[in-house]
Amino acid sequence: MLNVGVVSGNELASLVVERLADHGAVTQARSAPELRKERDSPILVSCADKSLPASKFDLVLSVADSTERCCPRHSPDVVLMETDPALLRNAVDQLWENRLLPFSRNKAAPRPKHRKGPAVMSPPDPAWSATAARTAERILRTSPLIVRVDHIGSTSIPGLPAKNVIDLQVGVANISDLDQVSAHLDAAGYRAVPGKWWDVPTSYQPEPEQWAKHLHVNSDPAQNVNIHVRVVGSAGWFFTLSFRDWMRADAGHVRRYAAEKQRIASKYANDVNALNYAAEKKLWFRDYVEPQLYAWVDSNGWRPEKREEPHFMECSNVAVNPNTVTAPEFSPAATRLLS
């Protein structure tokens, strides 16, 4: 069941809840017998108190009130801007058909929905970091075995055009936890992509087992998220975080990467998927990124922070999620870096 929160306090919020109920959603205010009677409804609607983090719900709705955007953790996923009741009902109708129902179906499906289409670059979007923060908090709630969640990939690099896909890295303490965390994520609606997954080893760190991961995708049709589950301290985990920070540290790298991404995306603009785009981009990583990245790591003594402090932690009334525990002490030996 999809758990939707509607931010309370706005006089139009009750209209949104009523309209969702008209479509067949179960509201938390109904009595237990009614809930049992309608237990097959795909969507549960609850009032979302402003003091609660968005991670308590699969999706949070709000009605045109800028005061609810105090920080990414509390910002809603959807803000309905219509204040005219008739227009607001119509907006809720469209949201139900185009996002909520597909979201609930994807969440319940045994396999992830296949994503089609070529790689299309979008301009840098400030909303990416907020979406990543909310999703990371939701993911942390899925399993006590998750050590940390980091925003990675192109959307985590300020100023870089990217596909409108959020990449998150889920860190676990050891390889035996990979399967359990993967099962927890899958049960929560973050569907596992079938098959065995490895990132391409670098020439500096060629051991395949150091690049093993599990891959998941989210169920929300309006915002794609890729979830890479890796062991903390493995070569793949280390490379991903160091690459992000290397890019953030030098605007020149960002410009070169943006140009390369756009070149490859244009080359394969008519493809039915992004596989050729991804394959050719790996060549740039091999020839340009690898030697410079490892040299930068070695010369700067870079090591991953125990966990990245998301921007929402600046909000004084935010309590730290109990699953956001300190990562194990990082072991440089696990990366086999050149001395």
Side-chain angles (χ1 to χ4, degrees):
M1 177 177 279
L2 187 70
N3 186 7
V4 176
V6 178
V7 177
S8 59
N10 188 300
E11 60 182 10
L12 294 174
S14 59
L15 188 152
V16 173
V17 173
E18 290 171 5
R19 194 62 175 174
L20 292 172
D22 289 342
H23 282 288
V26 173
T27 62
Q28 198 176 50
R30 294 185 183 181
S31 65
E34 289 176 308
L35 282 174
R36 285 196 297 271
K37 189 187 304 180
E38 298 183 358
R39 63 185 181 277
D40 294 330
S41 174
I43 296 171
L44 171 67
V45 177
S46 309
C47 287
D49 189 289
K50 291 182 184 180
S51 65
L52 295 176
S55 55
K56 284 188 172 290
F57 307 92
D58 295 313
L59 194 79
V60 174
L61 311 180
S62 177
V63 182
D65 184 350
S66 60
T67 63
E68 285 150 13
R69 304 183 193 182
C70 85
C71 53
R73 188 180 188 183
H74 291 95
S75 63
D77 299 277
V78 178
V79 179
L80 299 169
M81 302 303 296
E82 296 78 4
T83 54
D84 177 88
L87 294 177
L88 182 58
R89 290 189 186 93
N90 184 60
V92 173
D93 294 344
Q94 293 184 44
L95 184 69
W96 177 269
E97 291 295 330
N98 298 329
R99 189 168 186 177
L100 299 185
L101 276 182
F103 195 163
S104 66
R105 290 166 183 158
N106 292 346
K107 188 180 178 185
R111 293 289 178 91
K113 184 178 180 181
H114 180 63
R115 297 173 181 170
K116 298 180 180 179
V120 177
M121 296 299 107
S122 299
D125 188 347
W128 285 336
S129 61
T131 301
R134 285 194 302 271
T135 308
E137 284 289 303
R138 286 168 175 147
I139 287 172
L140 279 166
R141 292 180 179 275
T142 65
S143 174
L145 298 175
I146 294 176
V147 172
R148 59 187 281 168
V149 182
D150 292 280
H151 186 195
I152 59 169
S154 294
T155 60
S156 71
I157 300 168
L160 182 64
K163 293 181 294 178
N164 187 26
V165 180
I166 304 295
D167 284 282
L168 295 172
Q169 178 167 263
V170 170
V172 299
N174 51 67
I175 198 165
S176 64
D177 289 343
L178 281 173
D179 287 342
Q180 291 187 68
V181 168
S182 188
H184 294 160
L185 285 168
D186 199 67
Y190 299 97
R191 291 302 179 203
V193 181
K196 294 183 179 294
W197 293 88
W198 290 269
D199 295 304
V200 177
T202 64
S203 57
Y204 295 82
Q205 299 166 313
E207 302 89 345
E209 67 275 8
Q210 281 281 319
W211 300 85
K213 68 177 182 181
H214 287 197
L215 182 62
H216 292 250
V217 296
N218 70 327
S219 299
D220 186 350
Q223 178 60 71
N224 291 334
V225 178
N226 293 332
I227 302 162
H228 310 260
V229 187
R230 299 183 174 105
V231 176
V232 170
S234 67
W237 181 87
F238 181 93
F239 184 92
T240 299
L241 290 179
S242 61
F243 171 74
R244 181 198 65 190
D245 290 356
W246 176 68
M247 292 290 290
R248 287 176 174 179
D250 192 322
H253 297 323
V254 175
R255 288 193 294 271
R256 293 183 186 93
Y257 191 26
E260 183 67 8
K261 283 156 64 76
Q262 189 57 61
R263 181 190 71 79
I264 302 173
S266 299
K267 181 177 179 179
Y268 298 109
N270 296 320
D271 281 12
V272 297
N273 55 47
L275 294 179
N276 286 324
Y277 166 84
E280 187 157 336
K281 196 170 67 168
K282 289 174 183 176
L283 301 178
W284 187 79
F285 271 76
R286 182 196 65 191
D287 299 335
Y288 179 82
V289 174
E290 278 186 33
Q292 295 194 64
L293 173 60
Y294 285 114
W296 176 81
V297 166
D298 196 38
S299 63
N300 288 277
W302 178 90
R303 291 292 181 265
E305 296 294 332
K306 289 189 175 181
R307 69 179 176 88
E308 185 181 24
E309 292 289 344
H311 297 301
F312 58 65
M313 296 304 291
E314 297 170 4
C315 187
S316 60
N317 64 344
V318 174
V320 176
N321 186 291
N323 283 336
T324 312
V325 297
T326 302
E329 285 299 322
F330 175 71
S331 171
T335 68
R336 296 179 173 82
L337 289 177
L338 296 180
S339 58

